[in-house]
Amino acid sequence: MGEPDRTTWSDSSARAVLQLMVESVAELIGFEVAALSVVLGDELVTLAYTGPEEHREYMEQPDPVSVIEPVLARATPWGRRLRYIEPTPVEELEGHWIHFDPVPSDAEDAWGQGEELFAELSDDDGTVVGILSVDRPASGRRPGARELSLLERYAAQAERAVLTLFEREALLEQVAQAESARHLIRSASRPTLDSLDDVLRHTHDQLVASFDARGSWVHVFQPDGPPISVARTRTGQRVEIDPDVLAFTSELAPRLWDRQRPLVLPDDTEPESLPATVRAHLLRRDDSRVLGVALGVGDECVGLMVLSRDPDQPGWSSVEVASVQQIGHDLGAVLMTARALERERNLVVELQRMDDYRSQVIAMLSHELRTPLTVISGNLELLGDTDLDEEATRYHQAMGRGTERMRQVVDDLLLLARVSNPSHPLVRLPVDLRAVTREVVSLVESTARTKGVSLTVRLGPDPLTVCGDAVELDRLVGNLVSNAVKYTGAGGSVVIAAQHQDDDVVLAVTDTGLGISEEDQRGLFQAFFRTTNPQALREPGTGLGLATVATIVERHQGRVDVASRLGEGSTFTLTLPAG
Ligand code: ADP
């Protein structure tokens, strides 16, 4: 973390502490005026003042920080922090430095007009962070050795107070930045960043920006493959991680995770945890400041995250270490989610691929079967025209039935493969579902009559238009109506009713047939599914009809529902968007 932004420093409790300090200086050392000014950005701002009220407003106006240099140049050191300026006019200070009229005194060591005494407050590097100035001794005389030593002690205290407050300010800022980094890393779990790669890129950007890092390295273990390891510089360039370090990561990360302990280099000297070569590589010969934390969730360690800073940057503060550790937890959770999502997506792609392959194989096989089937049917027909004896006629009829059944299976397979093929587009045209239904009913009427099943059709006078493929819609309604007739015994009834409902056209096929058990209803729309009901199994079928229904309905953005009770009958309801 770089310089704290001192310009934002406005904490009122901090000001109160400094005010108390200048008041003590004035009262205990015997000055009427005491002021404490601190360097905030490029200004010298008086944060605490005690003295004549008429000067307060003036005192509280900030000066440019450049005013300090000429003052220091002219000052004589009096001890460690104290600086004294002889009573000579200092033009550069005009307009910036008030000369208080001294308390009159005839003493030899009288405090003269233009005399200045102040303490220079600086940080460890010697950079001036503020000035504690005093003026107008109440006695009218220069301070003696006792007062000066007291003033030196107050100056030391003031210096500590200012530095502590700056540090606190910097810490507050660090916490805020760490918070924002955490927040942003949490946001990495949003659905748009669902691949591991996305998460790692997002994380790198946030980490280096929030922690002012030279670079970041995130190493993620993969359950079924080599780990993913991405190291980048601040500007995003990829960095190679030494193979020694990579090899040691699988040992180091779980150990850090188990102990919930960070690795802070170069300070960390736990010898048994880090081989010298790994340590040397991590520090990159220039003594970088390295912070490593394990990533994980619960008992599982999923990787390692390492941040580095240049040697001349500040070390990792305890707040930063804690924040980065917390991020290790957050990121661990995000990575687990991303990993799960990636696995799921790969699975979906794989399933899709298998589904496509299955459709292709089915389509190909059906085509291959169709040609020899046509040849067999044709030859059977020719054979039927010849004089066959009774036995041969029986064989001929059996072959005819078998061939017809095979033709049915092949046709059903071809249709299912065609409607399931994603590259076979749906050509939509307005289709009146009433016409489709009438056509279908005309084809099953004779079968129903033969079986003794009554057929009722309720369509209403108005067109029931839907937008879709006429052939597919015909198979859709056809499959439902022929099933109803097929699975209803003599004396039963089938009712087909269609109507508009809001923005949809709804067609219901109700029968009083065998019905379907609840358990069988669950698998009904899967290809090759046939119910466990022995009565239903007596009817010839392929188990492809309802799978085709479901696929066609889906292609038409519709829905198919079933309501059925075993032994009582079934209602299949089609809902299609009105065209
Ligand atoms: P199938 O060619 O066997 O009829 P479907 O996919 O059309 O294939 O139907 C799957 C199974 O669902 C059928 O085997 C049958 O047991 C059951 N089924 C479908 N429609 C009805 C219905 N109207 N009444 C009772 N059972 C039905």
Side-chain angles (χ1 to χ4, degrees):
M1 200 115 306
E3 275 282 285
D5 183 3
R6 293 176 180 178
T7 52
T8 62
W9 196 27
S10 59
D11 193 305
S12 62
S13 64
R15 276 181 180 239
V17 171
L18 301 181
Q19 184 62 34
L20 203 66
M21 200 159 273
V22 298
E23 282 168 13
S24 309
V25 167
E27 201 180 316
L28 295 170
I29 312 179
F31 286 93
E32 275 184 25
V33 178
L36 195 141
S37 311
V38 296
V39 176
L40 296 180
D42 53 6
E43 287 182 332
L44 183 64
V45 181
T46 302
L47 290 183
Y49 165 80
T50 180
E53 269 314 301
E54 66 261 33
H55 294 303
R56 177 177 294 278
E57 203 180 316
Y58 183 84
M59 288 296 290
E60 283 178 356
Q61 275 171 17
D63 286 315
V65 88
S66 59
V67 73
I68 299 175
E69 215 184 286
V71 173
L72 287 180
R74 268 156 229 266
T76 315
W78 273 11
R80 186 145 176 242
R81 294 179 184 78
L82 299 188
R83 306 287 179 264
Y84 169 74
I85 298 182
E86 306 245 329
T88 43
V90 182
E91 290 102 44
E92 288 96 319
L93 305 187
E94 289 305 331
H96 294 305
W97 208 273
I98 305 177
H99 297 286
F100 292 91
D101 290 335
V103 174
S105 165
D106 296 333
E108 208 178 293
D109 58 352
W111 183 262
Q113 174 82 39
E115 237 171 319
E116 301 292 346
L117 181 61
F118 63 92
E120 180 187 331
L121 314 179
S122 48
D123 63 15
D124 289 348
D125 304 333
T127 311
V128 178
V129 294
I131 282 179
L132 173 67
S133 54
V134 289
D135 209 338
R136 216 162 188 266
S139 62
R141 298 167 64 180
R142 287 185 190 159
R146 194 192 75 86
E147 282 88 2
L148 287 179
S149 115
L150 249 180
L151 187 58
E152 181 77 53
R153 274 171 39 204
Y154 268 106
Q157 263 188 35
E159 187 177 271
R160 242 192 331 269
V162 170
L163 289 175
T164 311
L165 290 170
F166 276 158
E167 216 165 84
R168 179 171 159 275
E169 185 77 357
L171 281 181
L172 281 177
E173 205 167 302
Q174 283 174 14
V175 173
Q177 287 189 347
E179 269 304 311
S180 79
R182 288 183 52 195
H183 173 76
L184 285 161
I185 281 169
R186 285 212 179 109
S187 74
S189 54
R190 63 180 190 253
T192 46
L193 295 177
D194 51 3
S195 83
L196 220 52
D197 246 18
D198 281 352
V199 171
L200 292 185
R201 201 171 322 111
H202 179 84
T203 306
H204 165 81
D205 294 347
Q206 300 310 329
L207 283 176
V208 293
S210 303
F211 291 96
D212 199 18
R214 172 173 68 186
S216 84
W217 166 38
V218 180
H219 187 88
V220 185
F221 304 129
Q222 294 284 87
D224 37 21
I228 295 179
S229 207
V230 182
R232 287 195 180 90
T233 63
R234 185 198 297 267
T235 50
Q237 278 161 309
R238 291 291 277 253
V239 178
E240 282 300 314
I241 299 292
D242 186 88
D244 277 354
V245 179
L246 283 179
F248 188 64
T249 313
S250 54
E251 204 175 309
L252 174 65
R255 196 185 299 166
L256 294 178
W257 183 254
D258 278 353
R259 297 197 216 157
Q260 284 300 304
R261 171 188 184 292
L263 176 76
V264 185
L265 296 178
D267 316 353
D268 216 326
T269 49
E270 207 177 302
E272 105 291 351
S273 67
L274 210 59
T277 46
V278 172
R279 184 183 163 88
H281 279 304
L282 283 173
L283 291 173
R284 298 187 63 201
R285 266 177 255 109
D286 59 1
D287 240 14
S288 323
R289 297 171 178 280
V290 175
L291 171 60
V293 302
L295 313 173
V297 178
D299 287 342
E300 195 178 354
C301 170
V302 293
L304 181 75
M305 171 171 74
V306 177
L307 296 179
S308 65
R309 278 183 180 157
D310 287 325
D312 56 351
Q313 283 184 282
W316 299 98
S317 71
S318 53
V319 176
E320 286 174 327
V321 172
S323 302
V324 175
Q325 274 194 291
Q326 184 55 52
I327 289 171
H329 284 256
D330 294 351
L331 189 55
V334 169
L335 288 174
M336 288 292 250
T337 313
R339 203 191 257 179
L341 277 170
E342 198 137 277
R343 214 178 297 150
E344 214 168 280
R345 191 172 31 205
N346 289 342
L347 215 63
V348 169
V349 170
E350 184 60 18
L351 283 175
Q352 184 70 50
R353 228 173 45 80
M354 280 168 61
D355 217 36
D356 287 354
Y357 179 69
R358 196 187 60 161
S359 298
Q360 281 167 13
V361 169
I362 290 177
M364 203 185 69
L365 270 179
S366 325
H367 276 294
E368 288 300 311
L369 288 173
R370 216 180 194 186
T371 320
L373 253 184
T374 316
V375 176
I376 295 170
S377 302
N379 281 298
L380 273 177
E381 237 170 77
L382 289 176
L383 198 62
D385 291 342
T386 58
D387 258 348
L388 296 174
D389 62 26
E390 205 180 311
E391 194 179 6
T393 304
R394 271 205 321 275
Y395 290 141
H396 178 255
Q397 283 170 346
M399 281 194 284
R401 284 195 301 273
T403 313
E404 173 53 27
R405 173 131 172 72
M406 255 169 101
R407 197 191 51 76
Q408 187 62 51
V409 173
V410 169
D411 280 357
D412 282 359
L413 276 174
L414 267 178
L415 180 69
L416 181 59
R418 190 166 71 89
V419 296
S420 306
N421 185 350
S423 51
H424 170 72
L426 177 68
V427 181
R428 287 171 180 275
L429 287 172
V431 177
D432 185 355
L433 221 55
R434 290 181 313 165
V436 173
T437 308
R438 284 190 199 114
E439 173 75 19
V440 164
V441 168
S442 71
L443 289 176
V444 296
E445 245 165 2
S446 65
T447 315
R449 203 175 309 121
T450 318
K451 279 189 79 174
V453 172
S454 74
L455 257 183
T456 311
V457 183
R458 295 194 193 118
L459 295 172
D462 301 320
L464 299 169
T465 313
V466 297
C467 263
D469 181 312
V471 176
E472 290 184 20
L473 291 170
D474 179 80
R475 293 307 294 261
L476 185 60
V477 179
N479 280 354
L480 293 182
V481 174
S482 61
N483 272 351
V485 173
K486 186 159 75 172
Y487 297 110
T488 301
S493 68
V494 171
V495 178
I496 305 152
Q499 61 191 0
H500 269 291
Q501 224 170 67
D502 301 325
D503 294 334
D504 297 320
V505 171
V506 178
L507 181 138
V509 183
T510 304
D511 65 63
T512 57
L514 300 178
I516 308 160
S517 72
E518 250 176 65
E519 202 194 326
D520 280 344
Q521 285 178 35
R522 281 196 279 275
L524 216 50
F525 295 95
Q526 285 166 16
F528 301 108
F529 177 86
R530 304 213 65 205
T531 63
T532 46
N533 183 351
Q535 270 180 291
L537 287 175
R538 251 179 252 140
E539 298 293 330
T542 59
L544 291 170
L546 289 181
T548 307
V549 163
T551 311
I552 295 175
V553 163
E554 200 187 312
R555 269 159 76 79
H556 286 76
Q557 276 91 41
R559 226 179 57 222
V560 57
D561 299 295
V562 58
S564 183
R565 279 183 96 112
L566 195 58
E568 291 180 19
S570 318
T571 298
F572 284 81
T573 310
L574 273 182
T575 308
L576 293 165

